[in-house]
Amino acid sequence: CWAAWSSRLASMVTTKSRGDEAEERALQHLLAQGLTLVERNYRVARGPSARGAEVDLIMRAPDAEGTLVFVEVRQRSARTHGGAAATVTRGKQRRCVLGAQFYLSSLKVWPPCRFDAVAIDGEDVTWLPAAFDAC
């Protein structure tokens, strides 16, 4: 029992560290494009059994309107089976949109918003502006 639990814990730590590394790579890529970081790992718990809302990165675009950019970061070791971009599923989109709604509810004025994705396939980082809609 201990060996199985220990193995599972080690796998979770590895997965978490890979996710953190992917988010950092995405963040650096977006900063280099002129966006600024507003919030990282924005999470809202919905309850003990329901998946919560989550946004990997909230950025501000360098435009005159101050567009808020809600970013989903996905990583794959290679581009097989559609690559990282193909893993931005409807469920991931729904959780990101829900996170954006929670985040925006705390603001007095809503700026223009969009939903981007950053797909990391091995060493390649691809920024996909306006990757999906809130609908």
Side-chain angles (χ1 to χ4, degrees), residues 55-89:
V55 182
D56 295 325
L57 300 169
I58 302 174
M59 309 289 293
R60 187 161 310 274
D63 57 21
E65 296 82 25
T67 301
L68 273 182
V69 182
F70 298 92
V71 183
E72 176 65 28
V73 178
R74 302 298 292 160
Q75 178 180 14
R76 284 282 174 102
S77 58
R79 288 183 192 234
T80 57
H81 307 291
T87 67
V88 182
T89 63

PDB file of all heavy atoms in Angstrom, residues 55-89:
ATOM      1  N   VAL A  55      -7.715  29.455 -14.256  1.00  0.00           N
ATOM      2  CA  VAL A  55      -7.064  30.181 -15.341  1.00  0.00           C
ATOM      3  C   VAL A  55      -5.570  30.134 -15.045  1.00  0.00           C
ATOM      4  O   VAL A  55      -5.128  30.538 -13.973  1.00  0.00           O
ATOM      5  CB  VAL A  55      -7.542  31.648 -15.428  1.00  0.00           C
ATOM      6  CG1 VAL A  55      -6.864  32.352 -16.596  1.00  0.00           C
ATOM      7  CG2 VAL A  55      -9.056  31.738 -15.543  1.00  0.00           C
ATOM      8  N   ASP A  56      -4.794  29.621 -15.996  1.00  0.00           N
ATOM      9  CA  ASP A  56      -3.358  29.488 -15.773  1.00  0.00           C
ATOM     10  C   ASP A  56      -2.684  30.848 -15.641  1.00  0.00           C
ATOM     11  O   ASP A  56      -1.909  31.071 -14.714  1.00  0.00           O
ATOM     12  CB  ASP A  56      -2.715  28.680 -16.899  1.00  0.00           C
ATOM     13  CG  ASP A  56      -3.209  27.246 -16.923  1.00  0.00           C
ATOM     14  OD1 ASP A  56      -3.454  26.680 -15.840  1.00  0.00           O
ATOM     15  OD2 ASP A  56      -3.365  26.686 -18.024  1.00  0.00           O
ATOM     16  N   LEU A  57      -2.968  31.747 -16.574  1.00  0.00           N
ATOM     17  CA  LEU A  57      -2.367  33.083 -16.554  1.00  0.00           C
ATOM     18  C   LEU A  57      -3.426  34.113 -16.914  1.00  0.00           C
ATOM     19  O   LEU A  57      -4.227  33.888 -17.830  1.00  0.00           O
ATOM     20  CB  LEU A  57      -1.226  33.188 -17.575  1.00  0.00           C
ATOM     21  CG  LEU A  57      -0.040  32.242 -17.407  1.00  0.00           C
ATOM     22  CD1 LEU A  57       0.850  32.297 -18.640  1.00  0.00           C
ATOM     23  CD2 LEU A  57       0.747  32.594 -16.164  1.00  0.00           C
ATOM     24  N   ILE A  58      -3.423  35.221 -16.208  1.00  0.00           N
ATOM     25  CA  ILE A  58      -4.227  36.370 -16.598  1.00  0.00           C
ATOM     26  C   ILE A  58      -3.231  37.472 -16.926  1.00  0.00           C
ATOM     27  O   ILE A  58      -2.398  37.841 -16.093  1.00  0.00           O
ATOM     28  CB  ILE A  58      -5.197  36.807 -15.485  1.00  0.00           C
ATOM     29  CG1 ILE A  58      -6.130  35.644 -15.107  1.00  0.00           C
ATOM     30  CG2 ILE A  58      -6.005  38.021 -15.940  1.00  0.00           C
ATOM     31  CD1 ILE A  58      -7.024  35.943 -13.908  1.00  0.00           C
ATOM     32  N   MET A  59      -3.302  37.959 -18.154  1.00  0.00           N
ATOM     33  CA  MET A  59      -2.343  38.930 -18.659  1.00  0.00           C
ATOM     34  C   MET A  59      -3.094  40.174 -19.138  1.00  0.00           C
ATOM     35  O   MET A  59      -4.294  40.128 -19.372  1.00  0.00           O
ATOM     36  CB  MET A  59      -1.553  38.339 -19.842  1.00  0.00           C
ATOM     37  CG  MET A  59      -0.926  36.968 -19.618  1.00  0.00           C
ATOM     38  SD  MET A  59       0.478  36.966 -18.495  1.00  0.00           S
ATOM     39  CE  MET A  59       1.699  37.886 -19.414  1.00  0.00           C
ATOM     40  N   ARG A  60      -2.359  41.259 -19.289  1.00  0.00           N
ATOM     41  CA  ARG A  60      -2.927  42.470 -19.882  1.00  0.00           C
ATOM     42  C   ARG A  60      -2.181  42.714 -21.194  1.00  0.00           C
ATOM     43  O   ARG A  60      -0.945  42.741 -21.223  1.00  0.00           O
ATOM     44  CB  ARG A  60      -2.787  43.662 -18.958  1.00  0.00           C
ATOM     45  CG  ARG A  60      -3.537  44.875 -19.503  1.00  0.00           C
ATOM     46  CD  ARG A  60      -3.838  45.944 -18.508  1.00  0.00           C
ATOM     47  NE  ARG A  60      -4.448  45.550 -17.268  1.00  0.00           N
ATOM     48  CZ  ARG A  60      -5.768  45.393 -17.072  1.00  0.00           C
ATOM     49  NH1 ARG A  60      -6.594  45.531 -18.074  1.00  0.00           N
ATOM     50  NH2 ARG A  60      -6.233  45.092 -15.878  1.00  0.00           N
ATOM     51  N   ALA A  61      -2.962  42.888 -22.251  1.00  0.00           N
ATOM     52  CA  ALA A  61      -2.389  43.149 -23.573  1.00  0.00           C
ATOM     53  C   ALA A  61      -1.878  44.586 -23.641  1.00  0.00           C
ATOM     54  O   ALA A  61      -2.391  45.458 -22.935  1.00  0.00           O
ATOM     55  CB  ALA A  61      -3.440  42.909 -24.657  1.00  0.00           C
ATOM     56  N   PRO A  62      -0.896  44.837 -24.487  1.00  0.00           N
ATOM     57  CA  PRO A  62      -0.327  46.186 -24.592  1.00  0.00           C
ATOM     58  C   PRO A  62      -1.125  47.099 -25.524  1.00  0.00           C
ATOM     59  O   PRO A  62      -0.562  47.937 -26.206  1.00  0.00           O
ATOM     60  CB  PRO A  62       1.069  45.915 -25.153  1.00  0.00           C
ATOM     61  CG  PRO A  62       0.890  44.702 -26.003  1.00  0.00           C
ATOM     62  CD  PRO A  62      -0.140  43.865 -25.276  1.00  0.00           C
ATOM     63  N   ASP A  63      -2.450  46.935 -25.550  1.00  0.00           N
ATOM     64  CA  ASP A  63      -3.267  47.785 -26.409  1.00  0.00           C
ATOM     65  C   ASP A  63      -3.869  48.941 -25.617  1.00  0.00           C
ATOM     66  O   ASP A  63      -3.831  48.954 -24.386  1.00  0.00           O
ATOM     67  CB  ASP A  63      -4.357  46.967 -27.110  1.00  0.00           C
ATOM     68  CG  ASP A  63      -5.264  46.227 -26.141  1.00  0.00           C
ATOM     69  OD1 ASP A  63      -5.344  46.610 -24.952  1.00  0.00           O
ATOM     70  OD2 ASP A  63      -5.905  45.252 -26.566  1.00  0.00           O
ATOM     71  N   ALA A  64      -4.433  49.895 -26.298  1.00  0.00           N
ATOM     72  CA  ALA A  64      -4.984  51.090 -25.658  1.00  0.00           C
ATOM     73  C   ALA A  64      -6.170  50.768 -24.740  1.00  0.00           C
ATOM     74  O   ALA A  64      -6.404  51.470 -23.762  1.00  0.00           O
ATOM     75  CB  ALA A  64      -5.410  52.101 -26.721  1.00  0.00           C
ATOM     76  N   GLU A  65      -6.888  49.699 -25.033  1.00  0.00           N
ATOM     77  CA  GLU A  65      -8.067  49.342 -24.248  1.00  0.00           C
ATOM     78  C   GLU A  65      -7.719  48.575 -22.975  1.00  0.00           C
ATOM     79  O   GLU A  65      -8.564  48.375 -22.122  1.00  0.00           O
ATOM     80  CB  GLU A  65      -9.037  48.490 -25.088  1.00  0.00           C
ATOM     81  CG  GLU A  65      -9.620  49.194 -26.291  1.00  0.00           C
ATOM     82  CD  GLU A  65      -8.680  49.176 -27.484  1.00  0.00           C
ATOM     83  OE1 GLU A  65      -7.825  48.267 -27.571  1.00  0.00           O
ATOM     84  OE2 GLU A  65      -8.772  50.086 -28.311  1.00  0.00           O
ATOM     85  N   GLY A  66      -6.485  48.100 -22.853  1.00  0.00           N
ATOM     86  CA  GLY A  66      -6.091  47.314 -21.678  1.00  0.00           C
ATOM     87  C   GLY A  66      -6.785  45.965 -21.627  1.00  0.00           C
ATOM     88  O   GLY A  66      -7.241  45.521 -20.571  1.00  0.00           O
ATOM     89  N   THR A  67      -6.867  45.288 -22.758  1.00  0.00           N
ATOM     90  CA  THR A  67      -7.543  43.993 -22.857  1.00  0.00           C
ATOM     91  C   THR A  67      -6.974  42.998 -21.858  1.00  0.00           C
ATOM     92  O   THR A  67      -5.753  42.839 -21.757  1.00  0.00           O
ATOM     93  CB  THR A  67      -7.408  43.430 -24.288  1.00  0.00           C
ATOM     94  OG1 THR A  67      -7.984  44.364 -25.199  1.00  0.00           O
ATOM     95  CG2 THR A  67      -8.069  42.083 -24.431  1.00  0.00           C
ATOM     96  N   LEU A  68      -7.874  42.342 -21.119  1.00  0.00           N
ATOM     97  CA  LEU A  68      -7.468  41.249 -20.235  1.00  0.00           C
ATOM     98  C   LEU A  68      -7.436  39.969 -21.049  1.00  0.00           C
ATOM     99  O   LEU A  68      -8.377  39.679 -21.805  1.00  0.00           O
ATOM    100  CB  LEU A  68      -8.450  41.078 -19.077  1.00  0.00           C
ATOM    101  CG  LEU A  68      -8.224  41.923 -17.842  1.00  0.00           C
ATOM    102  CD1 LEU A  68      -9.264  41.607 -16.767  1.00  0.00           C
ATOM    103  CD2 LEU A  68      -6.832  41.742 -17.271  1.00  0.00           C
ATOM    104  N   VAL A  69      -6.367  39.225 -20.901  1.00  0.00           N
ATOM    105  CA  VAL A  69      -6.175  37.997 -21.658  1.00  0.00           C
ATOM    106  C   VAL A  69      -6.128  36.835 -20.667  1.00  0.00           C
ATOM    107  O   VAL A  69      -5.234  36.776 -19.814  1.00  0.00           O
ATOM    108  CB  VAL A  69      -4.873  38.063 -22.490  1.00  0.00           C
ATOM    109  CG1 VAL A  69      -4.700  36.799 -23.307  1.00  0.00           C
ATOM    110  CG2 VAL A  69      -4.864  39.296 -23.380  1.00  0.00           C
ATOM    111  N   PHE A  70      -7.095  35.928 -20.789  1.00  0.00           N
ATOM    112  CA  PHE A  70      -7.149  34.738 -19.945  1.00  0.00           C
ATOM    113  C   PHE A  70      -6.501  33.606 -20.737  1.00  0.00           C
ATOM    114  O   PHE A  70      -6.938  33.288 -21.853  1.00  0.00           O
ATOM    115  CB  PHE A  70      -8.600  34.416 -19.583  1.00  0.00           C
ATOM    116  CG  PHE A  70      -9.246  35.528 -18.784  1.00  0.00           C
ATOM    117  CD1 PHE A  70      -9.945  36.537 -19.408  1.00  0.00           C
ATOM    118  CD2 PHE A  70      -9.122  35.558 -17.406  1.00  0.00           C
ATOM    119  CE1 PHE A  70     -10.526  37.565 -18.677  1.00  0.00           C
ATOM    120  CE2 PHE A  70      -9.689  36.585 -16.662  1.00  0.00           C
ATOM    121  CZ  PHE A  70     -10.395  37.592 -17.297  1.00  0.00           C
ATOM    122  N   VAL A  71      -5.440  33.023 -20.183  1.00  0.00           N
ATOM    123  CA  VAL A  71      -4.589  32.108 -20.943  1.00  0.00           C
ATOM    124  C   VAL A  71      -4.647  30.692 -20.378  1.00  0.00           C
ATOM    125  O   VAL A  71      -4.426  30.475 -19.181  1.00  0.00           O
ATOM    126  CB  VAL A  71      -3.124  32.589 -20.935  1.00  0.00           C
ATOM    127  CG1 VAL A  71      -2.253  31.675 -21.795  1.00  0.00           C
ATOM    128  CG2 VAL A  71      -3.015  34.032 -21.411  1.00  0.00           C
ATOM    129  N   GLU A  72      -4.907  29.736 -21.267  1.00  0.00           N
ATOM    130  CA  GLU A  72      -4.822  28.308 -20.950  1.00  0.00           C
ATOM    131  C   GLU A  72      -3.495  27.805 -21.507  1.00  0.00           C
ATOM    132  O   GLU A  72      -3.190  27.995 -22.694  1.00  0.00           O
ATOM    133  CB  GLU A  72      -5.989  27.545 -21.590  1.00  0.00           C
ATOM    134  CG  GLU A  72      -5.937  26.059 -21.402  1.00  0.00           C
ATOM    135  CD  GLU A  72      -6.068  25.613 -19.949  1.00  0.00           C
ATOM    136  OE1 GLU A  72      -6.700  26.319 -19.148  1.00  0.00           O
ATOM    137  OE2 GLU A  72      -5.528  24.540 -19.620  1.00  0.00           O
ATOM    138  N   VAL A  73      -2.683  27.190 -20.663  1.00  0.00           N
ATOM    139  CA  VAL A  73      -1.375  26.664 -21.075  1.00  0.00           C
ATOM    140  C   VAL A  73      -1.469  25.148 -21.147  1.00  0.00           C
ATOM    141  O   VAL A  73      -1.918  24.498 -20.194  1.00  0.00           O
ATOM    142  CB  VAL A  73      -0.261  27.069 -20.074  1.00  0.00           C
ATOM    143  CG1 VAL A  73       1.080  26.479 -20.495  1.00  0.00           C
ATOM    144  CG2 VAL A  73      -0.176  28.586 -19.947  1.00  0.00           C
ATOM    145  N   ARG A  74      -1.059  24.593 -22.276  1.00  0.00           N
ATOM    146  CA  ARG A  74      -1.067  23.139 -22.458  1.00  0.00           C
ATOM    147  C   ARG A  74       0.299  22.706 -22.972  1.00  0.00           C
ATOM    148  O   ARG A  74       0.930  23.406 -23.771  1.00  0.00           O
ATOM    149  CB  ARG A  74      -2.156  22.717 -23.444  1.00  0.00           C
ATOM    150  CG  ARG A  74      -3.547  23.151 -23.032  1.00  0.00           C
ATOM    151  CD  ARG A  74      -3.998  22.536 -21.724  1.00  0.00           C
ATOM    152  NE  ARG A  74      -4.192  21.129 -21.906  1.00  0.00           N
ATOM    153  CZ  ARG A  74      -4.215  20.243 -20.934  1.00  0.00           C
ATOM    154  NH1 ARG A  74      -4.039  20.624 -19.691  1.00  0.00           N
ATOM    155  NH2 ARG A  74      -4.412  18.974 -21.175  1.00  0.00           N
ATOM    156  N   GLN A  75       0.739  21.542 -22.509  1.00  0.00           N
ATOM    157  CA  GLN A  75       2.062  21.041 -22.884  1.00  0.00           C
ATOM    158  C   GLN A  75       1.973  19.583 -23.288  1.00  0.00           C
ATOM    159  O   GLN A  75       1.246  18.799 -22.673  1.00  0.00           O
ATOM    160  CB  GLN A  75       3.030  21.185 -21.720  1.00  0.00           C
ATOM    161  CG  GLN A  75       4.408  20.643 -22.014  1.00  0.00           C
ATOM    162  CD  GLN A  75       5.364  20.793 -20.840  1.00  0.00           C
ATOM    163  OE1 GLN A  75       4.963  21.070 -19.724  1.00  0.00           O
ATOM    164  NE2 GLN A  75       6.638  20.617 -21.094  1.00  0.00           N
ATOM    165  N   ARG A  76       2.734  19.235 -24.311  1.00  0.00           N
ATOM    166  CA  ARG A  76       2.928  17.859 -24.747  1.00  0.00           C
ATOM    167  C   ARG A  76       4.395  17.698 -25.091  1.00  0.00           C
ATOM    168  O   ARG A  76       5.052  18.648 -25.497  1.00  0.00           O
ATOM    169  CB  ARG A  76       2.098  17.551 -26.000  1.00  0.00           C
ATOM    170  CG  ARG A  76       0.616  17.352 -25.754  1.00  0.00           C
ATOM    171  CD  ARG A  76       0.400  15.947 -25.193  1.00  0.00           C
ATOM    172  NE  ARG A  76      -0.957  15.694 -24.803  1.00  0.00           N
ATOM    173  CZ  ARG A  76      -1.819  14.999 -25.497  1.00  0.00           C
ATOM    174  NH1 ARG A  76      -1.489  14.510 -26.680  1.00  0.00           N
ATOM    175  NH2 ARG A  76      -3.023  14.775 -25.021  1.00  0.00           N
ATOM    176  N   SER A  77       4.887  16.498 -24.950  1.00  0.00           N
ATOM    177  CA  SER A  77       6.299  16.274 -25.270  1.00  0.00           C
ATOM    178  C   SER A  77       6.557  16.283 -26.772  1.00  0.00           C
ATOM    179  O   SER A  77       7.668  16.528 -27.218  1.00  0.00           O
ATOM    180  CB  SER A  77       6.777  14.956 -24.659  1.00  0.00           C
ATOM    181  OG  SER A  77       5.994  13.889 -25.145  1.00  0.00           O
ATOM    182  N   ALA A  78       5.508  16.018 -27.564  1.00  0.00           N
ATOM    183  CA  ALA A  78       5.636  16.022 -29.027  1.00  0.00           C
ATOM    184  C   ALA A  78       4.292  16.411 -29.638  1.00  0.00           C
ATOM    185  O   ALA A  78       3.283  16.482 -28.941  1.00  0.00           O
ATOM    186  CB  ALA A  78       6.060  14.648 -29.522  1.00  0.00           C
ATOM    187  N   ARG A  79       4.281  16.639 -30.951  1.00  0.00           N
ATOM    188  CA  ARG A  79       3.054  17.068 -31.624  1.00  0.00           C
ATOM    189  C   ARG A  79       2.179  15.907 -32.082  1.00  0.00           C
ATOM    190  O   ARG A  79       1.258  16.111 -32.863  1.00  0.00           O
ATOM    191  CB  ARG A  79       3.397  17.931 -32.831  1.00  0.00           C
ATOM    192  CG  ARG A  79       3.909  19.272 -32.417  1.00  0.00           C
ATOM    193  CD  ARG A  79       4.168  20.149 -33.605  1.00  0.00           C
ATOM    194  NE  ARG A  79       4.905  21.290 -33.119  1.00  0.00           N
ATOM    195  CZ  ARG A  79       4.548  22.530 -33.315  1.00  0.00           C
ATOM    196  NH1 ARG A  79       3.513  22.803 -34.027  1.00  0.00           N
ATOM    197  NH2 ARG A  79       5.257  23.507 -32.817  1.00  0.00           N
ATOM    198  N   THR A  80       2.420  14.733 -31.610  1.00  0.00           N
ATOM    199  CA  THR A  80       1.602  13.595 -32.009  1.00  0.00           C
ATOM    200  C   THR A  80       0.173  13.768 -31.507  1.00  0.00           C
ATOM    201  O   THR A  80      -0.078  14.444 -30.509  1.00  0.00           O
ATOM    202  CB  THR A  80       2.190  12.290 -31.456  1.00  0.00           C
ATOM    203  OG1 THR A  80       2.296  12.397 -30.039  1.00  0.00           O
ATOM    204  CG2 THR A  80       3.561  12.008 -32.036  1.00  0.00           C
ATOM    205  N   HIS A  81      -0.772  13.199 -32.220  1.00  0.00           N
ATOM    206  CA  HIS A  81      -2.195  13.225 -31.847  1.00  0.00           C
ATOM    207  C   HIS A  81      -2.725  14.647 -31.708  1.00  0.00           C
ATOM    208  O   HIS A  81      -3.517  14.940 -30.821  1.00  0.00           O
ATOM    209  CB  HIS A  81      -2.444  12.440 -30.561  1.00  0.00           C
ATOM    210  CG  HIS A  81      -1.915  11.044 -30.607  1.00  0.00           C
ATOM    211  ND1 HIS A  81      -2.457  10.075 -31.413  1.00  0.00           N
ATOM    212  CD2 HIS A  81      -0.876  10.469 -29.968  1.00  0.00           C
ATOM    213  CE1 HIS A  81      -1.779   8.947 -31.257  1.00  0.00           C
ATOM    214  NE2 HIS A  81      -0.815   9.164 -30.391  1.00  0.00           N
ATOM    215  N   GLY A  82      -2.267  15.548 -32.561  1.00  0.00           N
ATOM    216  CA  GLY A  82      -2.763  16.916 -32.540  1.00  0.00           C
ATOM    217  C   GLY A  82      -1.945  17.867 -31.698  1.00  0.00           C
ATOM    218  O   GLY A  82      -2.159  19.068 -31.738  1.00  0.00           O
ATOM    219  N   GLY A  83      -1.035  17.364 -30.914  1.00  0.00           N
ATOM    220  CA  GLY A  83      -0.186  18.221 -30.106  1.00  0.00           C
ATOM    221  C   GLY A  83      -0.925  18.869 -28.956  1.00  0.00           C
ATOM    222  O   GLY A  83      -2.076  18.559 -28.639  1.00  0.00           O
ATOM    223  N   ALA A  84      -0.254  19.806 -28.311  1.00  0.00           N
ATOM    224  CA  ALA A  84      -0.787  20.453 -27.113  1.00  0.00           C
ATOM    225  C   ALA A  84      -2.049  21.251 -27.404  1.00  0.00           C
ATOM    226  O   ALA A  84      -2.974  21.284 -26.593  1.00  0.00           O
ATOM    227  CB  ALA A  84       0.287  21.348 -26.493  1.00  0.00           C
ATOM    228  N   ALA A  85      -2.117  21.898 -28.555  1.00  0.00           N
ATOM    229  CA  ALA A  85      -3.287  22.721 -28.874  1.00  0.00           C
ATOM    230  C   ALA A  85      -4.562  21.887 -28.909  1.00  0.00           C
ATOM    231  O   ALA A  85      -5.628  22.365 -28.527  1.00  0.00           O
ATOM    232  CB  ALA A  85      -3.085  23.434 -30.207  1.00  0.00           C
ATOM    233  N   ALA A  86      -4.452  20.651 -29.325  1.00  0.00           N
ATOM    234  CA  ALA A  86      -5.630  19.774 -29.398  1.00  0.00           C
ATOM    235  C   ALA A  86      -6.156  19.396 -28.019  1.00  0.00           C
ATOM    236  O   ALA A  86      -7.274  18.897 -27.900  1.00  0.00           O
ATOM    237  CB  ALA A  86      -5.292  18.518 -30.196  1.00  0.00           C
ATOM    238  N   THR A  87      -5.377  19.635 -26.975  1.00  0.00           N
ATOM    239  CA  THR A  87      -5.814  19.266 -25.627  1.00  0.00           C
ATOM    240  C   THR A  87      -6.558  20.393 -24.911  1.00  0.00           C
ATOM    241  O   THR A  87      -6.910  20.255 -23.747  1.00  0.00           O
ATOM    242  CB  THR A  87      -4.624  18.799 -24.758  1.00  0.00           C
ATOM    243  OG1 THR A  87      -3.756  19.906 -24.513  1.00  0.00           O
ATOM    244  CG2 THR A  87      -3.857  17.669 -25.426  1.00  0.00           C
ATOM    245  N   VAL A  88      -6.788  21.504 -25.607  1.00  0.00           N
ATOM    246  CA  VAL A  88      -7.605  22.582 -25.040  1.00  0.00           C
ATOM    247  C   VAL A  88      -9.064  22.181 -25.298  1.00  0.00           C
ATOM    248  O   VAL A  88      -9.709  22.661 -26.213  1.00  0.00           O
ATOM    249  CB  VAL A  88      -7.275  23.957 -25.640  1.00  0.00           C
ATOM    250  CG1 VAL A  88      -8.107  25.053 -24.984  1.00  0.00           C
ATOM    251  CG2 VAL A  88      -5.793  24.274 -25.492  1.00  0.00           C
ATOM    252  N   THR A  89      -9.545  21.275 -24.488  1.00  0.00           N
ATOM    253  CA  THR A  89     -10.876  20.683 -24.672  1.00  0.00           C
ATOM    254  C   THR A  89     -11.980  21.643 -24.258  1.00  0.00           C
ATOM    255  O   THR A  89     -11.724  22.671 -23.627  1.00  0.00           O
ATOM    256  CB  THR A  89     -10.995  19.404 -23.829  1.00  0.00           C
ATOM    257  OG1 THR A  89     -10.860  19.775 -22.440  1.00  0.00           O
ATOM    258  CG2 THR A  89      -9.918  18.382 -24.204  1.00  0.00           C
TER     259      THR A  89
END
